[in-house]
């Protein structure tokens, strides 16, 4: 049995539940941190428009630029700060002055942030073998077409005339989480 088939079997017997806790365009000199929940579960960030910078504590490679369409998945919720700049933030708390509606986000960064809820066995089998961060560049022409379609659908949901439904964003995020796991398997990012 190859790794993709094994992944499919494990996922088929697992309940993946995403919980989107932020969707919008943060204004000002913003930062989002997981300092109060680092190490618990998994987190993810999707850049729908603009760019953001991921600062991982202890990462010698420096900040990572996340461009439009990048889905960053942190399987063990490594301590990090997502912010508007490549300059390391002075504080590790979350600071958002205000949030603009995605429909009014011209020239701003629009992000969707969430966490993944899994039972302990699923975390051990699905998340433990993954690196600290996996970035699925959904705007890349080599990205799975389903991932690009999901990001486009999320963008329409966040930007629509009616307020985004959290249940819709959560279910769409579930699919992106599965796609980032499949991406990690295909790119041999999974530890033996």
């Amino acid at each position: 049995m190859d790794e993709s088939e094994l992944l499919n079997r494990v996922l088929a017997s697992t309940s993946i539940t995403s919980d989107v806790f932020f969707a919008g365009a943060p204004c000002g000199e913003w930062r989002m941190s997981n300092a109060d929940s680092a190490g618990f579960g998994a987190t993810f960030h999707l850049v729908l428009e603009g760019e953001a910078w991921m600062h991982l504590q202890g990462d010698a490679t420096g900040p990572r630029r996340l461009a439009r369409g990048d889905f960053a998945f942190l399987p063990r919720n490594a301590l990090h700060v997502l912010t508007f700049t490549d300059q390391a933030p002075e504080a590790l708390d979350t600071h958002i002055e205000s949030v603009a509606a995605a429909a009014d986000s011209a020239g701003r960064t629009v992000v969707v942030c969430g966490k993944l809820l899994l039972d302990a066995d699923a975390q051990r089998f699905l998340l433990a073998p993954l690196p600290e961060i996996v970035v699925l560049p959904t705007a890349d022409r080599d990205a799975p077409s389903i991932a690009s379609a999901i990001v486009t659908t999320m963008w329409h949901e966040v930007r629509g005339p009616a307020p985004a439904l959290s249940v819709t964003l959560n279910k769409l995020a579930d699919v992106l989480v599965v796609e980032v796991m499949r991406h990690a398997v295909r790119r041999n990012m999974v530890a033996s």
Side-chain angles (χ1 to χ4, degrees), residues 135-165:
V135 177
L136 176 62
T138 67
D140 189 303
R141 66 179 145 168
D142 294 332
S145 59
I146 189 171
S148 299
I150 293 296
V151 169
T152 299
T153 304
M154 289 179 97
W155 180 231
H156 289 300
E157 179 66 20
V158 169
R159 201 177 166 153
L165 293 176

Side-chain angles (χ1 to χ4, degrees), residues 37-148:
S37 65
F40 296 101
T43 54
F44 56 82
H45 303 283
L46 169 63
V47 179
L48 290 174
E49 192 65 44
E51 70 178 15
W53 291 86
M54 174 77 65
H55 300 268
L56 282 172
Q57 185 178 41
D59 188 356
T61 62
R64 296 169 193 245
R65 179 181 177 267
L66 299 177
R68 181 177 177 259
D70 286 352
F71 182 73
F73 183 68
L74 296 104
R76 287 171 297 286
N77 199 13
L79 182 60
H80 68 277
V81 177
L82 186 72
T83 187
F84 71 101
T85 179
D86 63 341
Q87 299 301 308
E90 293 180 14
L92 291 181
D93 62 330
T94 294
H95 174 75
I96 301 174
E97 294 172 12
S98 62
V99 179
D104 303 323
S105 64
R108 291 196 173 115
T109 297
V110 178
V111 293
V112 172
C113 304
K115 58 187 173 184
L116 184 66
L117 309 172
L118 287 173
D119 63 40
D121 286 339
Q123 287 184 27
R124 186 171 69 246
F125 289 114
L126 290 173
L127 304 183
L130 295 174
E132 286 297 313
I133 183 171
V134 179
V135 177
L136 176 62
T138 67
D140 189 303
R141 66 179 145 168
D142 294 332
S145 59
I146 189 171
S148 299

